[in-house]
């Protein structure tokens, strides 16, 4: 045994893709909530 792991890149790529989707979804929700709160604060100031 040489201690070298052979293969497994499919799992690494899958985890990166899933992580990117989760981060993109979170960023989208944060931006959407930020825009909603900004428009709400504009309505209350007027």
């Amino acid at each position: 045994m040489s201690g070298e792991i052979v293969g497994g890149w499919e799992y690494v790529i899958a985890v990166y893709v899933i992580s990117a989707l989760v981060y993109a979804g979170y960023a989208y929700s944060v931006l959407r909530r930020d825009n909603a709160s900004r428009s709400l604060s504009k309505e209350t100031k007027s």
Side-chain angles (χ1 to χ4, degrees):
M1 295 188 136
S2 66
E4 183 179 341
I5 298 173
V6 179
W9 282 106
E10 299 85 11
Y11 297 106
V12 175
I13 292 169
V15 169
Y16 274 112
V17 169
I18 291 169
S19 298
L21 290 173
V22 169
Y23 288 138
Y26 177 71
Y28 173 75
S29 71
V30 168
L31 291 174
R32 193 178 65 183
R33 281 184 280 162
D34 183 51
N35 287 336
S37 68
R38 286 178 192 244
S39 66
L40 184 63
S41 66
K42 286 180 183 177
E43 289 176 5
T44 58
K45 288 181 181 178
S46 306

